[in-house]
Amino acid sequence: MDAATPAALSDATLPPARTFGPPLLSVDNISLSFGGVKALTNISFNILEHEIRAIIGPNGAGKTSMLNVINGFYHPQEGTITWQGKVRKQMRPHQAAVQGIARTFQNVALFKGMSTLDNIMTGRLLKMHNVRAPETGVFGLDHLLRYGSAALDFALQCLYWGPNLKEEIRQREFCEQIIDFLEIQTIRKTPVGKLPYGLQKRVELARALAMEPKLLLLDEPMAGMNVEEKEDMCRFILDVNDEFGTTIALIEHDMGVVMDISDRVVVLDYGRKLADGSPDEVRADQGVIDAYLGVAH
Amino acid sequence: MMQSKRIAFWSVAPLVAFVLIGFLLQWMASQGIGFFDWWFFSEVAATGLLVGVRYSLVALGFVLIFKASGVFNFAQGSMVLFAALTFVGLLGFGVPIWLSFPITLVVMWLLAVVIERVVLRPLVNQEHIILFMATIGVFYLLEGGGQLMWGSQVQTLDIGLPHGRIQLFGGNIQLQEFEIVTAGIAGLLVAVLAVFFNKTRVGRALRAVADDHQAALSVGIPLKAIWVIVWTVAGVVALVAGITWGTDLGVQPTLSLVALKALPVLILGGFTSIPGAIIGGLIIGCGEQVGEVFFGSLVGGAIQDWFAYMLALVFLLFRPQGLFGERIIERV
Amino acid sequence: MLYREAGQFKTSYAADQALFPIRQDLLGFGLFAAFALFVVPYIASEYFLNTILIFFLVLVVASIGLNLLTGFCGQLSLGSGGFMATGAFAAYKLTTAFPDMHIVVVFLLSGCITALVGVLFGIPSLRIKGFYLAVATLAAQFFLLWLFNKVPWFTNHSSSGTISAPPRGLWGDSLYITGPQASPETKYIFLVVFVGLLALLAKNLVRSRIGRSWMAIRDMDIAAQLIGIRPLVAKLSAFAVSSFFIGISGALWAFIYSGAVEALAFEITRSFQVLFMIILGGLGSLLGSFLGAAFIVVLPIVLNLVLTAIDSSIDVGTIKHFEFMIFGALIVFFLIVEPHGLARLWQIAKEKLRLWPFPY
């Protein structure tokens, strides 16, 4: 065979096409207002399982409000949210966490009084149990079992040594895997308040990952980072999506990042949806160019 | 609701509640529980309103400082005691009233300057809870300091406020002249402060500072001077409150606890609202009197120790920001 | 040179998470505990034991309790006095109604009862924060004290309004820790063990899941909700555990330290005293609870000595006023200079000790 003929390239050597599952989350006709201010007007889009979805738009477009709605912080006046095929009732943020939605914030929302490791271990809270209540399906009995096991769980925590310590160590091992994955071993015990901004963002990502989320919402994860840090963060995001299959929705201003790593893009402006499609489609959309992208450099 | 509509609503609603409570008490009396008479009830309520105005005054001191610096000044109570002690002490030395009053005002101003420089300035960027605890420290400092300087025996204060009673409605309602006069003084001061805060340039500066320290600084408002002004005004309020309460109860250490009663007023009215402090004070004052006289006797008395706080607690469960406070929308 | 950790490698997570990972710490603590338990009862005078050490141990429990609520969970409470009173009166009613119940059980149960009361008054905390919560706890303070003062059932209809602890022993008829037969040594040793166990309980909770959820709520409750922490459960559990400790402290006060107590002993100045302990000692630090309590116990005594040395005719009231002023000044000083209190100063000292005798 000739070395340089295109025929040498067969399907087997190309990376497999990315496959996505059914829509994990879809928002339909969401409208949100605060008093007289309309933050979101009639927004509809979906996020497929295993994809990386970018939400972009100028400042004030309503991107963070959209994430807050998905999280359960804000309750939209109109519209529905469908999660894993089922329409979701109005819910509180901790219920969203139970469903499997994790989030990072624009202004890093770490627990400043605790160390890196403690922050990540706190992220594991929903997955840590000393005692698991069996589900019997009988209504009253289930409640009783739940309270009883909560009480037993508490008593074991008071004792610390024994089953509680085993559980702590098991969870610590899991968190250490995340620490290795994000390369933050050296700052394990440092109080997060002392860390530089870039590392804080990474710790926040670690804490979100500790929740083993189905959907990870990232609010400007690259804000305030230099090129090298951005490349690191991109690599981490892609690895998370690759290895754990986590669906990711991210808000980002850096167009290079958005075009490179996202599968599909939603563009918001003044609370309305401007465009929705693959990065190339969105880049070519005239409305988006006029509102947001401007002239290509 | 718009501010004025809200004020109107909350001025009328308590009246309705008042009438309803009257009927309840009347029914209870007919069942043999306690004693009830509409004139007596009105008299108690009216006295309560008058006392309430004085609560409003102390609450106003809190509101001013909170609005201007975001600091909840726990020491307001001890400022009341300190002002009263200084005033009485000066009178005791034979200094005439028209001189003692301004001298005490100067003392309160100096106190404000010292507090601003020693306590507030070093703590400028700390969280509010730290500042609050610092004011608890100031509370103790003033408690101890005031009593060290002037002694801790109960001292009577008599500056010529009337002590008679006046009769209204043909003798059916008797009110203390003292209560009426002090309510008048307090009310006047409250009105002056309200106007000062809302209509003057300094008042506008105070509001700016309350909203955002940084922004106020960047438009050239002198933060430190503003804080001194606010704490001095609070000191003036403390002095007037100290004189009125001091004449009533005698100038003694428990005066600072009386000022603590203003806290439930703030809960009811909202920490940042002047009309809230006024209406809240009236509700608390009236409620406390009615509660003590009509319900207190059924359970052994002295319920005014906690009635105001419990009322505030119940309120907190239903309307945490108070009647007029701003609902805090936390931006994530 | 003495305090080097170099060479102490941990090969398991369990070892890393031990209570005293540094060997010198473990040794130091062991020596201290042995000294406190075996040496002190023999060399300390009765006055020292009664007035200082026992008082200190009783206050430590309250200090730990309030620190759990305010220092670790961020909920400010000014009602500690009222909860101490609840514990004291609950213990009194329990032991007079069930004279055969073992005294330690009485203490623990009175703690549980106080925990329930604490949860009740903690419910408003779910909607309000900061100063508002402080005012709500003031309601608890004033109401509870009025209740114990006015309702004669609590004092078993005594005319003086005081409750006095009936004599109770640890082992049937011997080892009395309350009442006139109790010797200071017995009381002291019992307290050292009991308080030590309570402190261990607090430490275990703080380093477990529940402690982390408290600290998360304190640091940023919005982010905590996102992790799946339910603010209701976290805050109420903090109130419950904190009140448990504070209630036991009140019971210990009434039964062991003071013998006879009236509701007045637990009025609002007591609440402030406990608050000062944790502010001076260090919010969010168990060691700080100990240091703060020690400071609050020792300072008035030292002040008394100094002032009477300067002017022997000084009267009690004046000393009290000086005490107030100095406490107030100290609070302000510590908040400005070292908001994390004595515990932080201790940590700094340890870090300096790592390098000693070298300067850097």
Side-chain angles (χ1 to χ4, degrees), chain C residues 18-30:
Chain C
L19 270 176
F20 297 105
I22 304 177
R23 208 178 300 132
Q24 289 95 326
D25 274 346
L26 186 61
L27 208 60
F29 182 76

Side-chain angles (χ1 to χ4, degrees), chain B residues 131-197:
Chain B
L131 283 162
F132 173 63
M133 294 198 277
T135 59
I136 299 184
V138 174
F139 176 85
Y140 265 69
L141 255 174
L142 288 179
E143 279 277 303
Q147 289 175 63
L148 264 183
M149 276 169 40
W150 302 109
S152 53
Q153 305 95 326
V154 180
Q155 306 190 37
T156 49
L157 175 56
D158 186 1
I159 56 169
L161 291 173
H163 286 274
R165 326 191 95 208
I166 67 166
Q167 317 262 10
L168 291 175
F169 298 106
N172 277 317
I173 296 192
Q174 286 191 21
L175 293 174
Q176 304 258 24
E177 268 184 9
F178 171 75
E179 302 282 354
I180 298 182
V181 171
T182 52
I185 297 175
L188 187 64
L189 194 51
V190 165
V192 166
L193 286 172
V195 166
F196 168 73
F197 213 76

Side-chain angles (χ1 to χ4, degrees), chain B residues 187-247:
Chain B
L188 187 64
L189 194 51
V190 165
V192 166
L193 286 172
V195 166
F196 168 73
F197 213 76
N198 280 320
K199 305 280 188 223
T200 65
R201 226 180 318 163
V202 182
R204 192 164 46 229
L206 285 175
R207 279 184 285 149
V209 168
D211 240 5
D212 192 328
H213 292 180
Q214 299 257 42
L217 273 175
S218 58
V219 289
I221 295 178
L223 209 60
K224 303 191 183 81
I226 293 289
W227 282 347
V228 171
I229 292 179
V230 166
W231 279 74
T232 310
V233 171
V236 171
V237 166
L239 177 57
V240 173
I243 294 178
T244 53
W245 285 107
T247 315

Side-chain angles (χ1 to χ4, degrees), chain C:
Chain C
M1 227 171 51
L2 281 173
Y3 200 59
R4 286 284 169 71
E5 307 158 57
Q8 299 182 29
F9 297 113
K10 304 286 176 272
T11 50
S12 72
Y13 292 133
D16 192 39
Q17 283 169 199
L19 270 176
F20 297 105
I22 304 177
R23 208 178 300 132
Q24 289 95 326
D25 274 346
L26 186 61
L27 208 60
F29 182 76
L31 283 175
F32 183 75
F35 180 75
L37 209 50
F38 299 118
V39 178
V40 171
Y42 292 106
I43 62 172
S45 72
E46 194 165 304
Y47 166 79
F48 199 74
L49 280 175
N50 269 329
T51 327
I52 298 185
L53 288 177
I54 291 180
F55 191 39
F56 162 70
L57 286 167
V58 168
L59 284 178
V60 159
V61 181
S63 175
I64 291 178
L66 189 60
N67 216 342
L68 288 176
L69 183 62
T70 303
F72 284 97
C73 194
Q75 312 297 307
L76 182 60
S77 164
L78 293 177
S80 317
F83 292 126
M84 282 174 84
T86 311
F89 281 85
Y92 179 69
K93 292 299 293 179
L94 279 173
T95 199
T96 47
F98 306 106
D100 292 324
M101 194 186 282
H102 193 267
I103 188 71
V104 174
V105 176
V106 168
F107 288 147
L108 293 174
L109 275 181
S110 68
C112 292
I113 294 176
T114 319
L116 284 171
V117 175
V119 168
L120 206 65
F121 280 102
I123 290 179
S125 74
L126 305 174
R127 296 200 72 186
I128 57 178
K129 304 183 193 174
F131 326 128
Y132 293 86
L133 185 59
V135 176
T137 56
L138 274 182
Q141 167 73 36
F142 290 128
F143 176 74
L144 287 170
L145 239 59
W146 172 86
L147 193 68
F148 296 129
N149 247 326
K150 286 291 178 184
V151 178
W153 180 76
F154 288 106
T155 55
N156 283 344
H157 301 271
S158 107
S159 53
S160 61
T162 54
I163 55 171
S164 37
R168 293 280 180 269
L170 285 176
W171 190 269
D173 235 8
S174 62
L175 286 181
Y176 276 100
I177 54 171
T178 66
Q181 294 118 306
S183 73
E185 287 82 16
T186 330
K187 292 203 275 191
Y188 168 75
I189 295 180
F190 166 71
L191 277 179
V192 170
V193 174
F194 193 52
V195 172
L197 288 173
L198 284 175
L200 182 64
L201 173 67
K203 182 72 181 167
N204 284 346
L205 283 175
V206 157
R207 54 189 180 141
S208 296
R209 279 207 305 293
I210 201 169
R212 266 182 245 127
S213 68
W214 290 342
M215 291 194 272
I217 293 275
R218 171 197 67 190
D219 284 340
M220 197 176 287
D221 56 345
I222 298 176
Q225 285 188 47
L226 276 180
I227 305 242
I229 297 174
R230 277 175 301 166
L232 175 92
V233 172
K235 288 185 189 179
L236 285 185
S237 64
F239 264 99
V241 173
S242 161
S243 308
F244 175 76
F245 276 83
I246 298 182
I248 292 188
S249 172
L252 291 176
W253 180 300
F255 278 56
I256 300 188
Y257 169 62
S258 172
V261 81
E262 48 170 2
L264 206 62
F266 300 119
E267 60 169 12
I268 190 159
T269 37
R270 187 71 52 209
S271 304
F272 284 128
Q273 194 180 39
V274 183
L275 185 64
F276 286 172
M277 277 191 256
I278 64 171
I279 295 179
L280 293 176
L283 291 162
S285 153
L286 282 179
L287 175 66
S289 311
F290 279 85
L291 294 176
F295 200 76
I296 294 277
V297 165
V298 165
L299 189 65
I301 297 178
V302 166
L303 198 63
N304 203 333
L305 286 173
V306 167
L307 285 176
T308 41
I310 296 176
D311 175 7
S312 55
S313 64
I314 207 167
D315 75 83
V316 182
T318 319
I319 298 185
K320 195 97 190 128
H321 298 144
F322 266 111
E323 208 178 285
F324 269 42
M325 285 197 74
I326 298 214
F327 271 127
L330 275 173
I331 292 281
V332 174
F333 177 74
F334 264 90
L335 284 174
I336 294 176
V337 168
E338 185 47 81
H340 297 285
L342 294 169
R344 181 89 187 94
L345 291 178
W346 172 259
Q347 252 189 330
I348 296 176
K350 283 212 296 188
E351 273 167 40
K352 291 260 153 69
L353 204 56
R354 282 201 172 94
L355 299 171
W356 185 80
F358 306 108
Y360 56 85

